[in-house]
Amino acid sequence: MTLCGEMEAEVELKVSAETFHDVFSCRPHHVSNMSPAKVQNADLNEGDWGKPGTVISWSYVLDGVPKIGKDVVEAIDDVKLSTTFKVIGGDITTEFKEFKFTVQATPKGEGSCLAHWTVEYEKLNENVPDPRAMLELFIDISKDIEEHHLTQKPNSTGMNDRSASHSLLLLTGQYHTRCCCCCMNELICINVFKLSINLRGVC
């Protein structure tokens, strides 16, 4: 079994790409206000908000279990609207030697965007499962951020967008696993978001 891999997921949101990008690039400490059930704290350990090299400690819940994490902001691209975090401490490091995740917002129509998450990882051993749960958590947090902004944004009727429409814009997608060493493909429709996994044989 290969220890290295890459996973991707994306979801369409009724939030502008610039707004969504700003949350993770400059205001990650606001995520706990937008998704309190999943993220309890994001504390600044080193550096300044909105700058590469900043170290952040997180308290979050994964599959109902409280977790802690420590990340460094590795890169912020205000042109491509992407932010990359590298995990340097916390519960993830008990299972993964390397763990990096990137979130990118792509404009999609007026006031909407496509939030794309990419996770690159190297497991400590072959008994560690693929970090699909983490990727699903990122998607859930993204939807909570959408929900938060919809409740704050009034429309022409004087109602907020969430009150006017109770449906989230999600991609009907697929879970796609590709293994380069055995040339096998597994395709499972999950009808929530688009998720793909690429397992690399060489780290």
Side-chain angles (χ1 to χ4, degrees), residues 150-166:
L150 289 179
T151 59
Q152 304 298 314
K153 177 183 174 184
N155 57 28
S156 59
T157 67
M159 301 171 63
N160 61 57
D161 283 353
R162 183 57 181 165
S163 298
S165 174
H166 292 272

Side-chain angles (χ1 to χ4, degrees), residues 95-107:
E95 296 183 312
F96 295 90
K97 181 178 179 180
E98 297 286 343
F99 198 97
K100 183 187 298 187
F101 56 97
T102 299
V103 55
Q104 181 176 15
T106 302

Side-chain angles (χ1 to χ4, degrees), residues 13-31:
L13 305 171
K14 292 183 70 174
V15 180
S16 73
E18 292 77 13
T19 297
F20 189 79
H21 170 63
D22 183 67
V23 171
F24 290 99
S25 64
C26 297
R27 299 184 292 119
H29 51 301
H30 289 186
V31 173

Side-chain angles (χ1 to χ4, degrees), residues 17-113:
E18 292 77 13
T19 297
F20 189 79
H21 170 63
D22 183 67
V23 171
F24 290 99
S25 64
C26 297
R27 299 184 292 119
H29 51 301
H30 289 186
V31 173
S32 59
N33 296 328
M34 302 176 189
S35 185
K38 301 173 183 68
V39 179
Q40 285 69 57
N41 290 293
D43 297 323
L44 183 68
N45 289 164
E46 298 177 22
D48 298 300
W49 297 118
K51 295 183 178 180
T54 296
V55 177
I56 306 168
S57 290
W58 301 84
S59 298
Y60 62 98
V61 175
L62 180 66
D63 289 338
V65 180
K67 302 282 186 179
I68 59 171
K70 180 180 285 188
D71 310 331
V72 59
V73 179
E74 192 168 78
I76 297 174
D77 190 327
D78 291 327
V79 175
K80 295 182 179 180
L81 303 181
S82 68
T83 306
T84 299
F85 300 85
K86 182 178 181 180
V87 175
I88 59 174
D91 289 291
I92 288 178
T93 59
T94 64
E95 296 183 312
F96 295 90
K97 181 178 179 180
E98 297 286 343
F99 198 97
K100 183 187 298 187
F101 56 97
T102 299
V103 55
Q104 181 176 15
T106 302
K108 189 176 177 65
E110 184 177 356
S112 297
C113 75

Side-chain angles (χ1 to χ4, degrees), residues 95-170:
E95 296 183 312
F96 295 90
K97 181 178 179 180
E98 297 286 343
F99 198 97
K100 183 187 298 187
F101 56 97
T102 299
V103 55
Q104 181 176 15
T106 302
K108 189 176 177 65
E110 184 177 356
S112 297
C113 75
L114 196 63
H116 188 98
W117 291 85
T118 303
V119 173
E120 300 173 72
Y121 59 89
E122 180 182 350
K123 304 174 185 178
L124 288 176
N125 59 70
E126 62 183 17
N127 296 319
V128 175
D130 294 327
R132 182 179 178 184
M134 280 298 301
L135 200 57
E136 292 176 345
L137 176 64
F138 293 151
I139 291 295
D140 288 341
I141 291 172
S142 300
K143 292 187 286 184
D144 285 347
I145 292 172
E146 175 195 49
E147 177 91 0
H148 174 83
H149 281 86
L150 289 179
T151 59
Q152 304 298 314
K153 177 183 174 184
N155 57 28
S156 59
T157 67
M159 301 171 63
N160 61 57
D161 283 353
R162 183 57 181 165
S163 298
S165 174
H166 292 272
S167 62
L168 293 175
L169 293 180
L170 305 182

